[in-house]
Structure formats: C-alpha cells, structure tokens
Amino acid sequence: MSRILVTGGTGYIGSHTTVELMQQGYDVTIVDNLSNSSVDVLDGIESIVGRRPDFANIDCNNYVDLDGVFEQFADIVGAIHFAASKAVNESVEKPLLYYRNNLGSLITLLEVMREHQVHNLVFSSSCTVYGQPDAAHLPVDETAPIQKALSPYGNTKQINEEIIRDEAYADKHLNATILRYFNPIGAHPSALIGELPNGVPQNLLPYVTQTAAGIRKELKVFGNDYNTPDGSCIRDYIYVVDLAKAHVKAIDRMLNAKKRDQVEVFNLGTGHGISVLELINEFQNATGKKVPYSIVGRREGDIEQVWAEPRKANEVLGWKAETPIAEVLASAWKWEKHIRKIN
Ligand code: NAD
Ligand code: WQD
C-alpha cells in the first residue's frame, strides 16, 4: 500500500479527500495545526472508512516537525498540500499572515520532500487565478490568461504556482499537479464530515444553510444588475466529494502514468455555471426549506461570471463531476442539520 501525506487533512476538502484516498486503499498521514479545523474530524473519517488516518498536529512551516513526519513514515510516496489560510477578506486585512502561512508552508513542504526524495505533489489552487475571464474564455480552460489577483489570498495561489514551476525546473525529479478548484460545496452523504463554519459565513452555501436553519435572518444577494440572464453572479459549484475523487485520480496518475508533463494543471468544475438566484431556488426545491433573501448592492471585488471547461480533467485524469446539484444541496442541508442538532 502507498502512503500519501495530506497537509490540511482535517480541513474541509482535505477530510473528504482523505476518505476517498483511504477507500481506494491508500494509507494517509494527515498533518494539520488545527488552526481552522477540529481533531474530531478524525473520528468522522474513521466512522466512514473503518480505519483511522495517522495524524500529526504540526505546523507545515516548521521544517523540523515536518521532517520528523517524513522520518516516521518512510513509505510516503506523495503529498497533497491543502494547508493554507483561505479567507479572502481576512487576507486583505492581514496580508503578511497570508503570505507567511501560504508561501512558507509550501516552501517548507517542498524542501522536506526534496530531502526525503518524495517526488509527487498535488497542490490546491483556485479558479481565482483567472479573475474575470473575457467572453472568449468562457467557459474557462487551463490556457486562459492568469490575471492580477484581487486579494493577497489570490496572490498566494499565483505565487505558489510559480514556486512549484520554478522548483520543478530546478529538480527534474519533482512531479506536480496543480488543481484549480471552482466553488466547492456540500458535505459527505453520511453527514459525518463537512465544512465547519467559522463565524459569519462569507461563502454563499453556508450562508444559505444557516439561513434555512434560522441562524441568519435572511440571505443578502449581492447584486441583481449584472450582465447575466437573471442579473445575479454565476459560478461553477462543484461537489466536494467529486472534487475529492479528482485528487485520488491525480495521485493515481502521478504514480502510474507512463508519460506525463512534469507540471500538469487541471480545472476542476462541473462545466455548468449557475446563478445565485438559481442556487437558492434549487436549494429550496431540493430540501423543501425556505430561504428568505433580499437583494442588496454588489459585493466589492466580485467576479460577474465564471465557470469551468473541465474537458482536460475529464479526458486526461478520467474524472468527471457527476453528482446532481439537488443531491449536493441536500447533502449540505443534512450536514447543517447534523451540526445544529435539528431535524
Ligand atoms: P480549510 O480551512 O477547511 O482547510 C485547511 C486546513 O489547513 C485547516 O484544517 C487548517 O487548520 C490547516 N492549516 C492551515 N495552515 C496550516 C499550517 N501552516 N500547517 C498545518 N495546517 C494548516 O480549507 P479548505 O476549504 O479545505 O481548503 C483547502 C485548500 O483548498 C486551501 O489551500 C484552499 O486555499 C484551497 N481552495 C479552497 C477553496 C474553497 O472554496 N474552499 C477553493 C479553492 C481553493
Ligand atoms: C459566490 C456567489 C457572491 C455570499 C470565493 C473566493 C475564491 C474561492 C471560493 C478559494 C457570489 C454571492 C455570497 C452571500 C451572495 N476560494 N453571495 N451572498 O466569491 O466565487 O469565491 O470562494 O480559493 O477565491 O473568492 O464564492 O461563495 O463567496 O460567492 O450573494 O452572502 O454568491 O456575490 O456571486 P466566490 P462565494
């Protein structure tokens, strides 16, 4: 059995990916400093899989600690690097924290991987690197131009991608897969793991589920005067379990493909854009729960519309996002009910 290091593995996407990796027979060692997750997530993973991942409570910026993990688990064959700070607003207020954490953790991981001759890295990037693609680049594929980041958070993703390319140029043994996620949503169908809310949600779906649960009075829809069919913004919402499966495909490919580019980039989305108002409607239909909302002004820095051209991931990784949106939204609601202990 091969072992994968999952940094940020008790987080939202990392925990779902750990489940899929273990269910496909991989051993997993999680490293996480629990800055944005709980150690209880390990119980959820164990309940789903029937095995517990190995876990080290360490900061990825700490070379000595990370080195110790590679010493202890000499069978690590690859790493998936989720560990990062991800709140866009906070990154505007605390840019240095974001540059230190998101750049430092990747650099440290690459140093330790090189030291231990672990040659396979999967990196969590974001569709934020495309900014607002022009009409000719919608749906957006991997060749669309990278645009100046709108936040320090977004900039860390761009710089991280450059660091990976530079290191791969310098070290021909290093294989890297950069995955650009669109908008991950939903929770494991068991409702044993999901997204843990931290304060007032900034992202749309956690706000929707909290409003449906009565925790928030109403959802504010940021703008209905965009140049889209119903005036609200369009995104490509991708089910977190589908997204997790793409990571397993990426690891399989790095370990098994006879021929691949040293650095490969994949867009991970469904290929379908839906608007904020459509998402609210779909949620109400899927769950029978009403979501009170009002239209307010635009949110500063919002992209009008972006959705993925996922063909490269479909064809090269052999991966496709297939879960119907109604099922995805129902999973998010089931999770919200689980954490709020409501029926
Ligand atoms: P998350 O906050 O739930 O998970 C990140 C995990 O990393 C957390 O458990 C946190 O405790 C841990 N962590 C942070 N800094 C660390 C450090 N220095 N050392 C060890 N652990 C550390 O976030 P997520 O939504 O699961 O995102 C995972 C990755 O995917 C991030 O890199 C994020 O930028 C990227 N991403 C997320 C989205 C999204 O909308 N959720 C979209 C695109 C890309
Ligand atoms: C989606 C849509 C809002 C909340 C952010 C990051 C991006 C990526 C994913 C990591 C937009 C609207 C939202 C609300 C609303 N993360 N909305 N009312 O903006 O696409 O991307 O998360 O890489 O980097 O910027 O996602 O969920 O915040 O918003 O109307 O209360 O919902 O205007 O159109 P976004 P989001």
Side-chain angles (χ1 to χ4, degrees), residues 36-318:
N36 198 36
S37 58
S38 158
V39 73
D40 299 343
V41 171
L42 298 172
D43 297 335
I45 295 171
E46 185 176 3
S47 300
I48 297 169
V49 181
R51 282 191 293 147
R52 197 171 180 87
D54 292 288
F55 174 69
N57 179 352
I58 64 162
D59 192 312
C60 288
N61 286 283
N62 187 319
Y63 184 97
V64 173
D65 284 355
L66 203 52
D67 183 65
V69 171
F70 280 77
E71 286 285 339
Q72 186 186 347
F73 298 98
D75 53 344
I76 291 173
V77 292
I80 308 182
H81 184 50
F82 293 104
S85 306
K86 65 158 182 178
V88 175
N89 285 353
E90 187 186 45
S91 80
V92 176
E93 286 154 23
K94 301 175 184 165
L96 301 183
L97 187 150
Y98 274 67
Y99 286 114
R100 183 182 294 279
N101 197 38
N102 294 5
L103 304 188
S105 60
L106 174 69
I107 293 167
T108 310
L109 176 63
L110 284 168
E111 286 172 344
V112 177
M113 285 175 67
R114 202 203 261 236
E115 177 66 26
H116 289 268
Q117 296 177 32
V118 173
H119 300 309
N120 299 302
L121 174 74
V122 177
F123 175 70
S124 298
S125 190
S126 167
C127 68
T128 191
V129 302
Y130 299 118
Q132 174 62 68
D134 58 32
H137 285 103
L138 275 176
V140 66
D141 72 16
E142 294 81 358
T143 65
I146 302 297
Q147 302 204 46
K148 185 173 162 39
L150 292 169
S151 69
Y153 166 76
N155 204 22
T156 66
K157 291 296 170 193
Q158 298 193 4
I159 299 171
N160 275 325
E161 290 198 9
E162 288 171 5
I163 290 172
I164 290 168
R165 286 182 200 286
D166 289 347
E167 176 63 3
Y169 182 81
D171 174 4
K172 296 297 177 215
H173 297 297
L174 177 66
N175 293 311
T177 305
I178 292 170
L179 301 178
R180 293 180 180 151
Y181 314 152
F182 281 65
N183 289 57
I185 58 167
H188 193 270
S190 64
L192 290 167
I193 54 172
E195 188 170 12
L196 278 178
N198 190 0
V200 181
Q202 307 295 316
N203 293 120
L204 178 61
L205 193 59
Y207 210 107
V208 166
T209 55
Q210 290 195 9
T211 307
I215 297 161
R216 314 275 158 210
K217 210 167 117 255
E218 63 170 17
L219 170 73
K220 294 182 174 55
V221 174
F222 299 136
N224 69 346
D225 56 353
Y226 285 99
N227 185 22
T228 60
D230 66 19
S232 64
C233 292
I234 293 176
R235 296 286 185 277
D236 187 336
Y237 296 94
I238 163 93
Y239 185 34
V240 68
V241 175
D242 287 338
L243 185 65
K245 289 178 176 163
H247 293 74
V248 182
K249 295 280 189 183
I251 287 287
D252 287 347
R253 177 171 167 79
M254 299 185 96
L255 297 179
N256 302 320
K258 297 223 162 41
K259 198 172 167 325
R260 66 182 294 284
D261 293 340
Q262 201 190 349
V263 180
E264 294 187 329
V265 181
F266 297 100
N267 282 351
L268 299 181
T270 66
H272 303 287
I274 68 171
S275 73
V276 176
L277 293 172
E278 284 170 336
L279 184 127
I280 296 169
N281 240 329
E282 294 273 7
F283 181 86
Q284 294 183 147
N285 291 340
T287 63
K289 290 300 292 184
K290 193 114 195 76
V291 181
Y293 69 87
S294 64
I295 311 282
V296 300
R298 294 179 175 197
R299 181 172 70 177
E300 199 189 327
D302 249 339
I303 303 291
E304 180 176 271
Q305 45 188 321
V306 62
W307 67 97
E309 170 53 83
R311 194 178 305 156
K312 185 176 173 199
N314 299 163
E315 291 173 0
V316 179
L317 285 184

